[in-house]
Amino acid sequence: MSKFIASAAIRGGQEIVKEADQLLKETLEKYGPEQKVGFANTAYYLPVIYAYTAHKVEKLGDMIQPMEQAKALLPRRMPTEKLWLPYLGETLDAGVATLFAEEIISGVRHVMGVQPEKQNGYTYNGPIDDIQLRTWGIQLVDGRMPGFAAIVGRAKTNAIAVKIVRELQQRNILIFLSGNVNGKGIVEQLLEEGVELGYDTFTVPFGSDTISAIYALGFAARSALTFGGMKPGQAKDVLLYNKNRVHAFVLALGEVDDLKYATAAGAITYGFPTIADTVIPNIMPTGITKYEHVVSMPFDDIPGNDDMERAERLIQRCIEVRGLKLQITKVPIPVSYSAAFEGERIRRGDYQVEFGGRGGVTFELLLSKKLDEVEDGKITVVGPDLDAMPVDSNQPLGVVVEVAGRKMQKDFEPVLERQIHHFVNMAEGVQHIGQRDIPWIRIHKNSVARGFRLRHFGDILYARLHADFGAIVDKVQVTLYTKQDKVRELREQARQVYNERNERAANLTDESVDTFYSCTLCQSYAPTHVCIINPERVGLCGAYNWLDCKASYEINPTGPNQPVPKGAVIDESKGEWEGSNRFTYQHSQQQVNRMTLYSLMDAPTTSCGCFECIMMIIPEANGVMILSRDDPSMSPVGMTFSTLAGMAGGGLQTPGVMGHGKFYILSKKFIPKEGGFKRVVWISSNLKEELAEGIKEVCQRIGEPDLMDKIADERVATTVEDLVAFLETKEHPALSMEPIIQ
Amino acid sequence: MPPVETPVEKWAGKIHEVNLGGDARRLVVGGETTLPFLHFEGAIPHPPAVAVEVQDRPPASWAPELRASWGEAMEDPASWAKKAVEYGADLIVLYLSSAHPDDQNTGPQEAKKTVTRVLSTVDAPLIILGPGIAEKDNEVLVAAAEAAAGRRVALGFCEQKNYRTIIAACMANNHVAVAKTPVEINLAKQLNILICDMGLAPDSILMDPTTGALGYGLEYTYSVMERLRLAGLQGDKMAAMPMFCTVGEEAWRQKEARATEGIPAAWGDIATRALRWEELTAMTLLLAGADVVVLRHPQVVQRIKATIQKLMTKE
């Protein structure tokens, strides 16, 4: 807590409480305690006081009690030079006292008939009525409105004031306006510029002084009572509701005086941070608010070419500080965009330009950056665009996507990067294949004729990353390069990143993490099946690895991928932990008590139905066979894949038979208890070929460099007799291992 | 022969009790601590409720048999609802079908009017359903929610892709949400979690796991519902919502309930057959755990009511 802010807020609180007290006394003398008090068209009395204390103010006399409470809340002493105390509590108390005092003053003003305020022929709005509260409240609750901005003070110029309001309106953010600096406020500035204010334009001019900003907090308090199901007086719940669900912030324009500090302190109790465009102390640690409490962003120091750009950045920063999430529903490109175009193929002769493919130079790279290093929505094309390229030509292309987000992690980069393919492919007339440094892209002539340009790649990525990954991504900027030299140069840098990622993935071991992830997507047809996905073992379907699940959980915390704390180890070599057992038991309809993650013979993983491979022991060969889903031929055990799958699938746990993902074969955690890869005596030939490189490495690693050739497939053995004969000729090591069935 | 002891399961969970209706007539559904009608095992404090489907304009596509059974009442949703209550409906499902863009594309004003009229005509609790187009649903259901403030109606359908606005309207006016998911236990549960995350209480949700008619996936529906109910009784609070099934809609759109020509003689009389189709579908789903069945034919309403009454009699 800043001592400066604490002192100012407490001073401001003392002043306004005194003023309110005085005003209340005078009004009581004049009108008497029975005089009716209340804001127009609301069932919530004086809403801040009502929400905080459940006290109903219906008459002037009813204000005495909250007035006394405000006085009692005021801290007795100011922070001193000598005695340093954690004065956060005092400051917030002063803030609440300020809110009570401001609301009392507003109530008295209603009695005096000076609300809504009239000035220079303009009538301000005053408090928001209940009908409007419901209309906006529903939009705030369902997310169509990301939040509200309470702007207090005056912008540096009228043009900046207009820009700020436009930036907020564009994002559907509700705007509450009040206050002034030296007699002139933002409302006047906007009126001078002919900006239309009112409910229809999401702009509500409360009044010309700071006190009228209390209506914003009254609105917030009523939201919690209306939509949060809170009862008046449940102060803590009301405040937490606001912190977690009413995404509001205070934007202080111009000089911040004591009363503004005091009001801001009151707003902080709701979890609403303050952003100021002047030099004031920052309060950066999180706590009462979700992120920073007070952020100073002196307007003239904001980077930007002109004031308009600075205003834009200021609003960006407000959105970051409050953690607002914007909804983007439509991808703004001149061609159709839907899943129907995903598998589209564009033939030679039909495309205007081709990127990559044989001999082409392309790459796609997604990087996470710091929040202040990314300008949200910035899309740049460096080099010639589609319409400037010769028809039918092959061109270089580098796509660099930079994202930033409070919850973004470096590990999510590849997860998001892989989505580029999926996102771009959905545009009509765009064919996209491959990723990293092998993308192969074709763009149809018709699409170019309809105005499709390279920047639309950026538009697609911007919109979809926000829409689908908004939980982890706050900002997206995209740069597309089309000059040969530049693309080559950047591709080298990108390759370094890919290598680092490969190494990271290789070093990501089960021992190095304390949490695995579940996947229960398949429970729709295999109710007792639970996938536990660990870094060294992909999901059975091969579609989800540990990092994907981790990201998926961040994006969708109630979804099918949940964290599974490993807990105490039971048997490391079999891959059995207390945590994974507990999770499996709870999520398998209490059918599976134990599940080892690495063993084929002892409580193996359950099998869903969409596993890429199925592994089964062949006792006669003292080993295991691995049958691929794509292999329709007969296996040595006398069953095809589909027969075996029918036997093992559906959520069953069958010792000796197990569904698994392809890449599990290459894992260091491949059935270690049963002897590891040395046990493999038979693999479907298509799988053997597909994973040839990886399998060779595994053979090297386990000290059996010739093992690959000793493993049979359907071309040499479809019966046990043939298999055993083949293994004996080749002297397969499994034959001399200890018996697989003990 | 030695007596066989009836095996009794001890369930840890309880289905949420959902209150519907205003001061004049209240209805509670849910609250079970056992599987359907197993009175010897646990409590079934409230019988399953029978709802009658009423549309806000005469449904031209309904089978002649159905239309004949309601006659002129169908011209006006309020009279239709009144007649439904006379036939024994515990509650009314009011479909705002006219709001569909391909229908009359009516808006919030009309919705408000219809809801107000129906509510002022009958005391029975109401379940209000939109036309099934997200944008229109949100428009008309928000209006309906306001018009029905104080009468605790249910609003639907909340679906995974569109639930937030309807939930906000429920929270603002103290209504109940109907959450619909496509025949999948995890999705059903997830939607309940998402809705509760927004702040609506678990006892303000009915779930529609999506049903099929007899001969059209009924057994699959049955097993999803059974599993949801088992999960709820085992203590999973996010699966313990009372279940809501649109039986009439499903049964009456099948060939067996409509075809009069080009079918084997053994199929018999259309009237008998169509009614049985709806009745059997309803009975099966009640046995799977349905707490609210929505029916279309008045005679089926009476039959199902009678059967429920028998099944609720403890011996």
Side-chain angles (χ1 to χ4, degrees):
Chain A
M1 191 75 214
S2 148
K3 177 164 169 287
F4 177 85
I5 292 183
S7 310
I10 293 171
R11 266 199 316 272
Q14 287 168 339
E15 280 298 309
I16 195 78
V17 167
K18 208 157 88 191
E19 187 186 327
D21 197 33
Q22 190 60 34
L23 185 67
L24 181 59
K25 275 196 189 107
E26 288 167 17
T27 322
L28 273 168
E29 271 167 32
K30 190 167 169 197
Y31 296 90
E34 293 305 313
Q35 171 68 35
K36 286 228 169 310
V37 178
F39 298 163
N41 300 318
T42 177
Y44 296 99
Y45 314 97
L46 298 190
V48 174
I49 291 168
Y50 186 52
Y52 254 101
T53 66
H55 179 72
K56 296 174 183 172
V57 174
E58 292 169 281
K59 312 183 299 274
L60 258 184
D62 296 337
M63 288 195 187
I64 298 168
Q65 186 190 321
M67 194 64 245
E68 291 308 314
Q69 273 175 297
K71 285 192 228 166
L73 272 169
L74 276 182
R76 274 178 209 98
R77 58 181 170 209
M78 298 288 293
T80 61
E81 282 306 321
K82 282 185 189 156
L83 186 59
W84 289 66
L85 292 166
Y87 16 70
L88 174 65
E90 278 96 335
T91 309
L92 297 179
D93 285 349
V96 177
T98 304
L99 301 187
F100 283 19
E102 287 175 333
E103 196 158 59
I104 287 168
I105 294 174
S106 302
V108 171
R109 284 177 177 174
H110 274 78
V111 172
M112 290 155 54
V114 293
Q115 282 291 309
E117 183 183 347
K118 290 188 184 61
Q119 259 201 24
N120 306 329
Y122 180 74
T123 308
Y124 286 82
N125 187 85
I128 292 167
D129 60 41
D130 279 0
I131 298 169
Q132 194 59 42
L133 166 81
R134 267 169 217 275
T135 310
W136 276 336
I138 286 180
Q139 295 186 48
L140 284 165
V141 173
D142 73 19
R144 274 175 288 168
M145 271 187 180
F148 74 74
I151 305 183
V152 186
R154 183 180 75 188
K156 192 181 136 195
T157 64
N158 285 11
I160 294 171
V162 175
K163 179 72 176 169
I164 285 173
V165 166
R166 294 290 181 239
E167 286 291 314
L168 292 167
Q169 281 174 324
Q170 204 185 318
R171 293 172 171 86
N172 252 355
I173 295 171
L174 193 54
I175 307 159
F176 298 150
L177 305 158
S178 50
N180 69 76
V181 175
N182 300 329
K184 186 171 173 184
I186 182 162
V187 173
E188 266 177 276
Q189 289 183 304
L190 295 169
L191 291 173
E192 281 173 13
E193 297 305 309
V195 175
E196 202 186 315
L197 303 178
Y199 288 166
D200 292 342
T201 56
F202 294 0
T203 47
V204 188
F206 282 145
S208 69
D209 60 5
T210 305
I211 292 169
S212 60
I214 190 65
Y215 297 143
L217 295 165
F219 177 86
R222 288 187 289 159
S223 297
L225 299 179
T226 310
F227 295 99
M230 313 305 166
K231 298 274 172 295
Q234 293 181 324
K236 188 180 158 201
D237 294 330
V238 169
L239 298 177
L240 281 175
Y241 179 88
N242 274 286
K243 174 187 176 179
N244 296 327
R245 294 171 196 266
V246 180
H247 295 106
F249 58 88
V250 179
L251 176 57
L253 300 176
E255 189 212 340
V256 181
D257 58 25
D258 287 354
L259 182 57
K260 284 182 188 159
Y261 277 118
T263 310
I268 286 174
T269 65
Y270 283 72
F272 303 161
T274 291
I275 297 90
D277 72 344
T278 50
V279 185
I280 63 169
N282 287 312
I283 302 178
M284 302 304 268
T286 60
I288 317 292
T289 56
K290 192 169 174 197
Y291 301 120
E292 297 86 352
H293 289 86
V294 179
V295 172
S296 159
M297 209 175 173
F299 195 82
D300 291 329
D301 298 347
I302 299 172
N305 292 322
D306 53 33
D307 281 353
M308 294 302 108
E309 275 189 36
R310 282 186 267 274
E312 226 179 293
R313 297 238 161 100
L314 178 66
I315 296 307
Q316 271 290 347
R317 183 78 178 119
C318 293
I319 288 166
E320 278 167 43
V321 171
R322 186 57 180 105
L324 292 188
K325 295 291 176 192
L326 308 177
Q327 271 191 355
I328 296 172
T329 45
K330 200 180 170 309
V331 178
I333 55 173
V335 295
S336 302
Y337 186 83
S338 87
F341 298 105
E342 222 179 330
E344 201 182 6
R345 286 284 168 268
I346 297 167
R347 292 172 215 293
R348 186 170 288 280
D350 286 343
Y351 62 78
Q352 175 112 0
V353 183
E354 179 186 55
F355 301 103
R358 195 182 294 267
V361 185
T362 52
F363 74 91
E364 286 165 355
L365 181 66
L366 183 140
L367 296 170
S368 58
K369 296 270 173 182
K370 287 196 188 127
L371 276 166
D372 57 2
E373 291 172 342
V374 178
E375 194 178 318
D376 190 38
K378 185 177 172 190
I379 296 161
T380 322
V381 179
V382 183
D385 207 332
L386 294 174
D387 51 341
M389 293 171 180
V391 176
D392 273 350
S393 63
N394 188 300
Q395 299 286 337
L397 177 69
V399 180
V400 178
V401 184
E402 287 156 302
V403 303
R406 302 253 189 192
K407 292 175 90 181
M408 181 67 195
Q409 298 179 19
K410 209 162 175 49
D411 274 347
F412 298 159
E413 287 177 355
V415 177
L416 298 187
E417 190 179 282
R418 279 208 305 272
Q419 298 295 323
I420 296 177
H421 161 75
H422 171 61
F423 289 160
V424 167
N425 229 353
M426 281 168 64
E428 182 187 0
V430 176
Q431 171 188 321
H432 185 286
I433 295 167
Q435 51 161 331
R436 286 192 165 183
D437 55 354
I438 53 165
W440 178 33
I441 304 162
R442 282 177 168 179
I443 298 170
H444 202 286
K445 281 174 183 162
N446 295 345
S447 294
V448 179
R450 277 160 65 189
F452 189 86
R453 296 291 177 270
L454 281 176
R455 74 152 284 127
H456 295 121
F457 271 98
D459 286 325
I460 294 169
L461 296 174
Y462 170 78
R464 291 299 306 271
L465 282 168
H466 271 295
D468 294 21
F469 295 93
I472 50 177
V473 169
D474 294 330
K475 292 169 128 189
V476 179
Q477 86 181 16
V478 184
T479 317
L480 299 116
Y481 300 91
T482 58
K483 283 187 193 143
Q484 182 83 356
D485 294 348
K486 190 72 187 166
V487 177
R488 278 184 190 283
E489 179 198 325
L490 291 171
R491 187 176 62 171
E492 281 318 302
Q493 292 174 22
R495 280 175 173 160
Q496 276 178 22
V497 177
Y498 305 145
N499 282 335
E500 283 162 20
R501 284 183 195 162
N502 291 346
E503 278 167 32
R504 159 87 176 128
N507 292 330
L508 201 58
T509 60
D510 292 355
E511 291 79 14
S512 68
V513 301
D514 54 14
T515 304
F516 295 157
Y517 288 88
S518 68
C519 183
T520 49
L521 269 175
C522 294
Q523 286 197 344
S524 50
Y525 58 86
T528 59
H529 172 70
V530 179
C531 256
I532 304 275
I533 298 170
N534 32 309
E536 293 183 84
R537 200 168 138 278
V538 293
L540 307 195
C541 59
Y544 284 82
N545 66 30
W546 184 81
L547 280 178
D548 294 326
C549 292
K550 191 176 176 207
S552 157
Y553 170 66
E554 286 294 339
I555 293 157
N556 181 6
T558 57
N561 303 118
Q562 293 294 316
V564 181
K566 273 157 71 176
V569 65
I570 295 172
D571 185 338
E572 196 121 41
S573 66
K574 285 181 188 165
E576 187 178 10
W577 290 266
E578 282 177 2
S580 51
N581 274 347
R582 198 180 310 124
F583 188 95
T584 307
Y585 179 68
Q586 284 165 353
H587 292 84
S588 63
Q589 302 191 348
Q590 307 180 351
Q591 298 294 310
V592 183
N593 287 315
R594 281 182 65 220
M595 190 167 92
T596 66
L597 304 185
Y598 312 147
S599 175
L600 173 66
M601 301 306 294
D602 182 22
T605 53
T606 55
S607 298
C608 44
C610 46
F611 32 83
E612 290 182 301
C613 307
I614 194 158
M615 183 185 337
M616 186 174 183
I617 59 158
I618 304 186
E620 296 89 336
N622 202 29
V624 303
M625 67 158 195
I626 298 170
L627 191 54
S628 142
R629 172 170 285 272
D630 309 323
D631 178 3
S633 56
M634 184 54 71
S635 76
V637 297
M639 284 185 271
T640 58
F641 183 90
S642 50
T643 319
L644 261 175
M647 201 181 92
L652 297 178
Q653 188 177 41
T654 321
V657 189
M658 180 168 81
H660 62 90
K662 274 189 248 183
F663 285 96
Y664 178 53
I665 299 171
L666 308 180
S667 167
K668 285 179 185 153
K669 298 297 190 299
F670 180 81
I671 56 168
K673 193 70 183 172
E674 285 79 28
F677 191 75
K678 260 194 263 187
R679 280 289 184 194
V680 179
V681 294
W682 192 100
I683 302 184
S684 293
S685 63
N686 63 329
L687 189 60
K688 201 158 52 161
E689 275 156 26
E690 188 186 332
L691 295 180
E693 285 306 308
I695 292 179
K696 275 179 204 155
E697 275 174 36
V698 173
C699 295
Q700 289 287 347
R701 189 179 72 214
I702 60 171
E704 293 276 352
D706 306 325
L707 184 57
M708 179 95 163
D709 299 328
K710 298 177 183 170
I711 300 173
D713 57 41
E714 77 281 2
R715 291 170 301 196
V716 297
T718 52
T719 64
V720 171
E721 294 73 33
D722 290 351
L723 174 65
V724 173
F726 175 86
L727 297 174
E728 278 167 358
T729 328
K730 297 280 185 179
E731 295 178 11
H732 192 289
L735 296 177
S736 52
M737 290 168 80
E738 62 179 278
I740 190 163
I741 297 183
Q742 278 149 2
Chain B
M1 211 173 90
V4 179
E5 204 179 319
T6 312
V8 175
E9 195 85 35
K10 182 84 189 110
W11 301 104
K14 179 186 171 188
I15 304 308
H16 300 291
E17 284 187 314
V18 175
N19 280 274
L20 287 163
D23 292 334
R25 190 162 159 191
R26 290 192 187 283
L27 179 78
V28 187
V29 294
E32 300 93 326
T33 57
T34 179
L35 291 167
F37 310 115
L38 301 189
H39 301 287
F40 60 86
E41 189 175 86
I44 305 169
H46 315 288
V50 174
V52 166
E53 178 180 341
V54 166
Q55 303 206 349
D56 68 346
R57 47 102 186 94
S61 63
W62 279 22
E65 180 59 36
L66 260 181
R67 278 185 286 148
S69 70
W70 292 106
E72 274 179 20
M74 293 174 95
E75 298 297 322
D76 167 49
S79 336
W80 191 350
K82 195 167 168 233
K83 207 164 169 193
V85 172
E86 286 162 16
Y87 277 118
D90 298 313
L91 70 169
I92 301 295
V93 165
L94 175 63
Y95 245 115
L96 300 174
S97 325
S98 70
H100 197 290
D102 297 341
D103 202 289
Q104 299 166 32
N105 201 20
T106 53
Q109 288 314 319
E110 288 94 335
K112 213 167 207 165
K113 251 195 190 128
T114 309
V115 170
T116 310
R117 263 183 54 64
V118 174
L119 283 172
S120 61
T121 312
V122 295
D123 291 336
L126 213 57
I127 295 178
I128 307 170
L129 301 177
I133 304 287
E135 216 171 288
K136 291 295 290 188
D137 279 355
N138 292 345
E139 220 178 272
V140 294
L141 290 174
V142 167
E146 281 169 17
R151 290 284 292 268
R152 195 154 163 89
V153 300
L155 301 169
F157 289 115
C158 296
E159 296 183 72
Q160 179 118 33
K161 283 198 169 151
N162 185 56
Y163 65 95
R164 302 188 63 94
T165 305
I166 303 172
I167 296 305
C170 288
M171 292 196 293
N173 300 286
N174 190 30
H175 293 319
V176 171
V178 189
K180 189 183 178 79
T181 43
V183 214
E184 217 276 338
I185 175 168
N186 286 300
L187 291 178
K189 202 180 141 181
Q190 193 186 355
L191 186 54
N192 290 338
I193 296 174
L194 290 170
I195 290 174
C196 291
D197 274 356
M198 278 186 74
L200 194 71
D203 66 2
S204 298
I205 303 172
L206 296 174
M207 62 177 168
D208 177 357
T210 305
T211 42
L214 175 62
Y216 294 84
L218 185 64
E219 56 291 340
Y220 193 56
T221 310
Y222 187 101
S223 104
V224 167
M225 287 174 62
E226 187 181 41
R227 280 178 42 211
L228 277 166
R229 181 49 49 95
L230 286 170
L233 290 175
Q234 278 168 7
D236 187 339
K237 290 196 159 49
M238 287 299 117
M241 283 65 184
M243 289 187 280
F244 168 92
C245 301
T246 50
V247 171
E249 186 179 348
E250 289 303 325
W252 282 95
R253 71 168 183 212
Q254 308 309 343
K255 185 183 175 188
E256 287 80 353
R258 306 184 71 111
T260 50
E261 284 168 22
I263 46 164
W267 282 29
D269 169 48
I270 173 71
T272 313
R273 186 194 335 137
L275 266 62
R276 285 277 179 240
W277 217 261
E278 186 177 20
E279 185 187 352
L280 273 172
T281 304
M283 260 337 293
T284 313
L285 297 178
L286 285 167
L287 295 177
D291 295 279
V292 180
V293 284
V294 188
L295 303 176
R296 282 188 174 172
H297 200 288
Q299 277 184 43
V300 179
V301 172
Q302 291 170 330
R303 287 185 202 167
I304 292 292
K305 289 276 290 184
T307 312
I308 290 175
Q309 204 184 356
K310 280 186 219 158
L311 285 167
M312 285 302 292
T313 311
K314 294 168 208 170
E315 291 175 48

